[in-house]
Amino acid sequence: MRLKKTLRLAAGVIALAVVASGCGGGSDKTASQNAADGKLTIGIKYDQPGLSLRNKDGSFSGFDVDVATYVAEQLGVKPENITFKEAPSGQRETLIENGQVDYIVGTYSITDKRKEKVDFAGPYYVTGQSLLVRSDNTDITGAESLNGGKKLCSVKGSTPAQNVKDKYAQSVQLQEYDTYSLCVEALKAGAVDALTTDDIILRGFAAQNPGALKVVGDPFTIEKYGIGVKKGDTESRNKINDAIESMLSSGAWAAALEKNFGSTGYKVPAPPQVDRY
Ligand code: GLU
């Protein structure tokens, strides 16, 4: 009996020690140092079809996954040596600051506010905030129709949620969830009237729910997707920028977009220009 208790206590102490050392958690090495050791931990979304999805068999697919994998290969890391980690919108800066991921490829808009905490390579894609509604909806047609207290879903820590708070707080009720897939469930169930985030994310959900959901209106912000790295890690950022430029110019970028969105009638846009700020 006493032995059991001692063992239980010891186990508890070990568990606490593991939690304590895991807090902050990650490696002290930079992304390029970890890549030189042959491995990388990359933050991505798990629930955004077309962009970044964790499939039932545990594999990952989508445009962001292809970008993440291409960049890793350019840094010398094989796909099988990548560990993907979920990076929800509201946790991205913290995951990078704590070294729990080497970089994030997760529909991550480059903003001045975020640049106070992390640095960005890229942009590797440019999109804009838009609206997703149920297919039978007729009164939400674009940003100008956001009025009358409509219930709008978006995600905590995202730029579209912030934009709604800044510009439409008087006219709509914002509901902030942890992920966009939760917003999609709420939209399908009739608990919210619309979901707002980047056009390309919404197109992925619309394609997954044909006949049930549709994207309406024109994009009303500019969202430039960057790859988030630790602030001040210029070496890794430069190498990732080189990798993005190679993906853009080699045709791999357009091919990845075509592969993941081609079947939805999507037209591959002109490639963006990497900004080495
Ligand atoms: N691109 C926007 C952002 O970084 C919205 C998409 C997202 O939440 O990942 O906040």
Side-chain angles (χ1 to χ4, degrees):
M1 207 45 203
R2 188 167 289 162
L3 180 64
K4 243 188 188 169
K5 195 171 175 193
T6 312
L7 279 176
R8 247 201 338 260
L9 266 176
V13 170
I14 292 168
L16 265 180
V18 169
V19 169
S21 67
C23 180
S27 88
D28 292 334
K29 292 190 176 173
T30 66
S32 44
Q33 285 166 345
N34 278 325
D37 291 345
K39 58 181 173 26
L40 281 167
T41 306
I42 307 176
I44 57 167
K45 299 298 184 75
Y46 275 14
D47 67 325
Q48 296 179 185
L51 283 159
S52 194
L53 201 60
R54 193 184 132 99
N55 302 303
K56 288 213 174 73
D57 64 1
S59 63
F60 297 92
S61 59
F63 174 65
D64 270 353
V65 174
D66 291 343
V67 172
T69 308
Y70 187 97
V71 168
E73 286 198 292
Q74 295 286 305
L75 298 180
V77 176
K78 296 195 184 80
E80 60 268 30
N81 295 328
I82 297 172
T83 305
F84 286 115
K85 189 172 172 62
E86 188 171 18
S89 300
Q91 294 176 27
R92 292 175 291 198
E93 288 82 60
T94 310
L95 285 167
I96 293 171
E97 287 178 308
N98 289 348
Q100 286 163 286
V101 295
D102 287 305
Y103 57 83
I104 290 183
V105 188
T107 57
Y108 198 9
S109 296
I110 302 169
T111 70
D112 287 341
K113 192 155 174 258
R114 290 174 178 162
K115 276 193 199 164
E116 291 169 9
K117 296 183 170 173
V118 300
D119 270 324
F120 288 99
Y124 65 90
Y125 192 78
V126 182
T127 180
Q129 183 175 358
S130 203
L131 293 161
L132 184 75
V133 297
R134 288 181 294 279
S135 297
D136 58 3
N137 181 292
T138 49
D139 65 341
I140 300 177
T141 50
E144 63 292 340
S145 59
L146 292 178
N147 51 42
K150 292 190 179 75
K151 286 193 190 131
L152 202 55
C153 195
S154 198
V155 162
K156 285 177 198 148
S158 71
T159 49
Q162 190 56 48
N163 188 39
V164 171
K165 287 185 216 168
D166 294 344
K167 301 217 180 90
Y168 303 95
Q170 306 302 321
S171 38
V172 297
Q173 295 178 49
L174 178 66
Q175 304 202 351
E176 290 178 278
Y177 288 33
D178 285 333
T179 62
Y180 294 110
S181 54
L182 289 173
C183 280
V184 167
E185 292 313 312
L187 180 61
K188 289 204 280 189
V192 298
D193 301 308
L195 156 51
T196 186
T197 188
D198 306 332
D199 193 70
I200 183 123
I201 299 176
L202 299 179
R203 288 193 185 277
F205 284 119
Q208 198 188 39
N209 294 276
L213 301 176
K214 62 180 179 187
V215 180
V216 289
D218 292 323
F220 50 97
T221 66
I222 294 173
E223 307 294 325
K224 295 183 179 180
Y225 288 173
I227 297 185
V229 294
K230 195 164 259 175
K231 190 162 174 63
D233 182 7
T234 313
E235 190 196 4
S236 301
R237 182 156 57 98
N238 283 340
K239 286 185 179 166
I240 295 172
N241 273 330
D242 293 344
I244 294 172
E245 274 174 353
S246 150
M247 187 173 189
L248 289 165
S249 61
S250 67
W253 178 82
L257 282 170
E258 191 62 47
K259 178 182 108 191
N260 291 296
F261 286 96
S263 62
T264 67
Y266 167 92
K267 293 267 169 302
V268 174
Q273 182 95 41
V274 165
D275 173 18
R276 293 179 188 259
Y277 64 85

